[in-house]
Amino acid sequence: MLVSLLSYNGYTQNPKVYITDRVGENYAYVNVTKTYERVAEKGYKSIDLFQKLGNAFYTDLNMAKAAKWYGELFAMTTDLDPIYYNQYAKSLCAIGEDEKADYIMEKLKQKSNTISNK
């Protein structure tokens, strides 16, 4: 079941709770974001996991946690779509880390210039 949760690639407006299976007469509900967060805090690392966590907390406007998970994402790779640079920078600004946000946006500009010069 854990593998199926980690491989879930769909995005919805409310990525937090999904009906997973019937248990007796009731449905079992899984808070996917909390499950992903527990998995990450136990040491599992993947680009996909950190993208999903960052996006979930960014969407919920929990910028401290969004910055934390985007930070983990950027520690693994910087070969990311521009949206991740933008959302990471915005979440950093929201928690008062303006210098780090400026650094991330500068990296995005450098990446954009490299791509446009090819």
Side-chain angles (χ1 to χ4, degrees):
M1 182 167 166
L2 181 58
V3 172
S4 68
L5 285 175
L6 293 175
S7 65
Y8 182 76
N9 289 324
Y11 292 97
T12 64
Q13 289 294 326
N14 186 359
K16 289 182 171 184
V17 179
Y18 297 96
I19 298 173
T20 59
D21 206 354
R22 281 191 71 119
V23 177
E25 294 298 315
N26 300 316
Y27 286 97
Y29 292 90
V30 175
N31 184 322
V32 175
T33 304
K34 283 185 180 181
T35 302
Y36 285 158
E37 194 170 26
R38 281 193 303 268
V39 167
E41 288 172 351
K42 289 185 182 220
Y44 180 81
K45 295 181 179 192
S46 79
I47 292 168
D48 186 53
L49 176 65
F50 294 144
Q51 286 174 331
K52 287 178 181 177
L53 281 168
N55 290 343
F57 288 115
Y58 184 85
T59 301
D60 286 344
L61 301 177
N62 186 337
M63 295 304 185
K65 284 193 174 187
K68 173 185 176 179
W69 296 116
Y70 284 137
E72 292 287 336
L73 174 63
F74 275 77
M76 290 186 76
T77 185
T78 56
D79 185 25
L80 298 163
D81 290 336
I83 189 76
Y84 292 104
Y85 285 84
N86 189 32
Q87 290 180 177
Y88 186 29
K90 285 181 180 178
S91 61
L92 288 168
C93 281
I95 62 171
E97 293 189 29
D98 296 332
E99 288 180 24
K100 197 169 185 180
D102 291 341
Y103 173 79
I104 295 298
M105 291 310 291
E106 186 59 38
K107 288 293 185 187
L108 175 59
K109 288 178 189 174
Q110 291 172 1
K111 182 178 177 172
S112 297
N113 289 337
T114 302
I115 292 170
S116 64
N117 288 335
K118 289 185 177 182

